[in-house]
Amino acid sequence: ASKRAGKGRCTWFNPAFDKSREAVRVMDEELRDALAKSEFALHYQPLVDAQSKEVVAVEALIRWNRSDGKSVGPNIFIPVAEETGLINAIGIWVVRKACEDALKWDGIKLSINISAAQLRNPEFPVQLGHILEDIGFPASRLELEVTETCLVLDPVVAERTLEVIRGFGVNVALDDFGTGYASIGFLRQFRFEKLKLDRSLVTRAESDAGSRAMMLSSITVARAMNMGITAEGVETQEQADMVRAAGCDQIQGWLYFKAMPAEEITRLLNKSGDDLLLSAEKRA
Ligand code: C2E
Ligand code: MG
Ligand code: MG
Ligand code: MG
């Protein structure tokens, strides 16, 4: 009771703040528990070649299947895990699990999302190197997705970490481009192997000339810097046609595939070329 009373002082001043702090604390405990009890799972969303529509990569996306039967999406719990630092342990679990799963998906790339706290953690590249070696996963098949916020918070450390990671032969993609303050100049400041255009930019580009111009000019800059370009969140045939015409090399979105469990990816990749195209087009 005295502990609550101590916190109460703050409640009078800023109830919303105290409440959210409490919510973070509770969820942090639940997440630690979830990690210990293996309640996390990875789903994988295929990325298809914009021209051939073949699956060329998969992106690992974490899910939390709670013991009460509810499934919680990463947008809810990743920010909490970032705030408390638990993302470091979760992130390492993701890397190991994803590389283990993807080991049998010969010939396609694996993309993994990395958050700001991980990029600031000097242990991260060391751990990553160990996992790749331990599992025998080829670094050249791995791509890490980072966002602008990962890099602006502490650009010097982030850049150093990325250099170590690149030294392994791992590619780096800039995720969610078009959401934050993402400026075209930012593309020049860091080296990325790939640019991922956010779903919101793709959507806006359809109806708004300014957004379309921004999409096209970022594609031009990315091209000039030898970056690959992926359009995210493509849901309609019109959007697919637009981003293909704009020069995107890869398309990711529900038009083609949603994220699915590892076994379904294995089944998908075992289909012959024609069957695979068919399953992509059926969704189109
Ligand atoms: P993201 O990396 O930009 O991933 C793409 C998100 O868009 C995924 O949501 C995916 O399911 C969703 N998406 C894909 N295609 C479509 C589409 O056509 N329409 C719509 N409406 N949505 C689509 P998800 O799985 O909920 O993940 C949300 C975010 O959580 C990710 O955004 C990423 O930032 C973060 N995240 C996911 N897994 C991890 C992880 O293992 N570690 C870290 N640090 N972050 C993760
Ligand atoms: Mg991503
Ligand atoms: Mg994204
Ligand atoms: Mg996102």
Side-chain angles (χ1 to χ4, degrees):
S2 62
K3 206 169 141 206
R4 283 231 52 90
K7 273 190 177 175
R9 269 177 281 161
C10 183
T11 302
W12 176 81
F13 180 63
N14 187 347
F17 179 72
D18 195 53
K19 216 174 140 194
S20 74
R21 284 248 319 224
E22 179 63 8
V24 165
R25 196 192 59 75
V26 169
M27 191 181 269
D28 180 57
E29 249 167 50
E30 289 178 340
L31 289 171
R32 279 171 205 278
D33 221 41
L35 197 56
K37 290 186 188 149
S38 309
E39 288 178 4
F40 293 115
L42 292 181
H43 280 192
Y44 299 89
Q45 186 180 28
L47 279 70
V48 305
D49 181 278
Q51 303 300 329
S52 71
K53 293 175 192 157
E54 276 172 310
V55 175
V56 286
V58 290
E59 177 176 1
L61 296 162
I62 195 169
R63 300 288 178 262
W64 175 18
N65 300 315
R66 289 166 49 125
S67 51
D68 60 14
K70 283 183 208 138
S71 179
V72 185
N75 284 331
I76 307 289
F77 67 87
I78 290 289
V80 174
E82 280 205 46
E83 197 175 323
T84 66
L86 190 62
I87 189 64
N88 287 296
I90 295 176
I92 285 303
W93 176 84
V94 169
V95 169
R96 182 172 282 277
K97 182 76 173 79
C99 290
E100 280 170 358
D101 283 345
L103 203 53
K104 51 183 179 287
W105 301 332
D106 241 4
I108 69 162
K109 283 208 169 206
L110 168 68
S111 253
I112 297 179
N113 293 285
I114 300 299
S115 62
Q118 290 174 274
L119 216 54
R120 277 201 306 271
N121 178 3
E123 284 298 302
F124 176 68
V126 182
Q127 292 167 329
L128 175 68
H130 284 156
I131 293 173
L132 293 179
E133 202 178 62
D134 190 30
I135 297 178
F137 191 81
S140 59
R141 280 183 51 205
L142 182 62
E143 181 166 76
L144 298 186
E145 300 191 4
V146 303
T147 59
E148 207 185 355
T149 28
C150 288
L151 302 169
V152 291
L153 288 178
D154 202 340
V156 180
V157 175
E159 179 67 358
R160 206 179 305 137
T161 305
L162 291 183
E163 276 319 305
V164 177
I165 288 167
R166 277 216 183 78
F168 299 151
V170 172
N171 280 357
V172 181
L174 179 63
D175 202 358
D176 298 350
F177 187 81
T179 49
Y181 310 97
S183 58
I184 289 175
F186 190 80
L187 291 180
R188 282 191 52 223
Q189 200 185 335
F190 294 93
R191 278 191 301 123
F192 303 104
E193 277 75 32
K194 181 193 273 188
L195 179 66
K196 297 191 78 174
L197 304 174
D198 193 72
R199 181 168 75 96
S200 59
L201 181 59
V202 172
T203 311
R204 274 181 283 132
E206 270 193 301
S207 53
D208 169 50
S211 301
R212 193 157 54 248
M214 159 145 175
M215 183 184 80
L216 290 171
S217 42
S218 32
I219 289 173
T220 303
V221 173
R223 263 279 165 270
M225 299 186 67
N226 289 317
M227 295 166 65
I229 300 142
T230 300
E232 292 191 276
V234 170
E235 293 181 346
T236 67
Q237 192 60 60
E238 289 71 28
Q239 289 173 344
D241 292 341
M242 176 189 71
V243 300
R244 197 177 296 117
C248 292
D249 331 277
Q250 296 176 357
I251 301 179
Q252 177 178 5
W254 295 350
L255 172 67
Y256 296 114
F257 298 104
K258 286 197 172 182
M260 56 186 100
E263 311 80 69
E264 280 182 47
I265 295 288
T266 303
R267 230 174 293 139
L268 185 69
L269 296 174
N270 282 339
K271 290 181 180 177
S272 72
D274 284 353
D275 284 354
L276 190 58
L277 279 188
L278 214 71
S279 55
E281 265 155 16
K282 233 183 11 223
R283 281 157 230 260

